[in-house]
């Protein structure tokens, strides 16, 4: 048996999914997959906050539209904890483009298009640390 790798990662339920009342269903699938919810809140990002969160993408052609979308309504952010949580949350989300995502993944089930794809997940340990710190305070992260 391999060593246990207990990780934390950031999940976001994006504005399109919150608007369509999918928050509860997505959280249910997160919990059913075995993740522990260690933090959970709803907030409405400003355009400038969305630009900071996605600054790694600022040179990409989709950056302006992405930041407009991510500040178009409330999001739900969650800290997920579990064995290999970073990779396992990416697996449950599915590919960026819902049309290419595997059956059963959240983006396949609930994504509208390559931009409005229902959920976000950190893509590695450094990103997870940065993104958790963006949304959760030191006090919350220490829990
Ligand atoms: N995105 C987009 N067009 C693209 C690629 C990405 O609108 O061609 C959006 C989409 O919402 C995606 C986000 O930008 O989730 C971040 O892109 P990334 O490549 O990091 O994909 P992810 O890590 O979310 O799968
Ligand atoms: Mg990404």
């Amino acid at each position: 048996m391999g060593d246990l790798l207990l990780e934390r990662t950031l999940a976001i339920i994006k504005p399109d999914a919150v608007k369509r009342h999918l928050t509860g269903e997505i959280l249910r699938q997160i919990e059913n997959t075995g993740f522990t919810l260690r933090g959970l809140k709803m907030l409405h990002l400003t355009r400038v906050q969305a630009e900071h969160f996605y600054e790694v993408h600022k040179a990409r052609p989709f950056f302006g539209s992405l930041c407009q979308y991510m500040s178009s309504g409330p999001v739900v952010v969650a800290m997920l904890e579990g064995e290999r949580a970073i990779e396992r949350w990416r697996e449950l989300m599915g590919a960026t483009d819902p049309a290419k995502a595997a059956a059963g993944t959240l983006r396949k089930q609930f994504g509208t298009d390559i931009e409005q794809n229902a959920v976000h997940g950190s893509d590695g340990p450094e990103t997870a640390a940065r993104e958790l710190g963006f949304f959760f305070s030191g006090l919350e992260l220490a829990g």
Side-chain angles (χ1 to χ4, degrees), residues 33-63:
T33 308
F35 295 101
T36 299
L37 285 168
R38 294 297 304 265
L40 186 65
K41 56 188 168 188
M42 176 178 276
L43 64 153
H44 190 149
L45 291 170
T46 66
R47 171 69 184 245
V48 169
Q49 288 169 336
E51 288 170 0
H52 280 285
F53 180 73
Y54 278 116
E55 67 188 358
V56 64
H57 292 311
K58 63 175 180 281
R60 308 287 289 278
F62 57 80
F63 180 70

Side-chain angles (χ1 to χ4, degrees), residues 101-116:
T105 62
L106 293 170
R107 283 167 163 174
K108 184 65 162 191
Q109 294 175 79
F110 305 125
T112 301
D113 56 38
I114 194 169
E115 178 179 83
Q116 303 204 11

Side-chain angles (χ1 to χ4, degrees), residues 2-112:
D3 290 341
L4 186 79
L5 183 60
L6 194 65
E7 290 178 329
R8 289 175 172 185
T9 191
L10 179 77
I12 306 178
I13 304 174
K14 293 185 175 182
D16 59 309
V18 173
K19 278 194 185 93
R20 287 182 291 141
H21 299 181
L22 293 167
T23 300
E25 175 58 22
I26 290 171
L27 291 175
R28 188 185 69 80
Q29 292 196 29
I30 285 171
E31 289 199 303
N32 280 356
T33 308
F35 295 101
T36 299
L37 285 168
R38 294 297 304 265
L40 186 65
K41 56 188 168 188
M42 176 178 276
L43 64 153
H44 190 149
L45 291 170
T46 66
R47 171 69 184 245
V48 169
Q49 288 169 336
E51 288 170 0
H52 280 285
F53 180 73
Y54 278 116
E55 67 188 358
V56 64
H57 292 311
K58 63 175 180 281
R60 308 287 289 278
F62 57 80
F63 180 70
S65 179
L66 172 62
C67 294
Q68 169 63 37
Y69 154 57
M70 289 299 289
S71 57
S72 68
V75 296
V76 171
V77 298
M79 175 167 36
L80 309 186
E81 186 177 82
E83 166 71 6
R84 292 190 305 106
I86 296 169
E87 184 188 338
R88 287 177 48 244
W89 171 233
R90 297 284 308 187
E91 284 168 11
L92 180 59
M93 287 200 304
T96 306
D97 183 352
K100 294 177 183 155
T105 62
L106 293 170
R107 283 167 163 174
K108 184 65 162 191
Q109 294 175 79
F110 305 125
T112 301

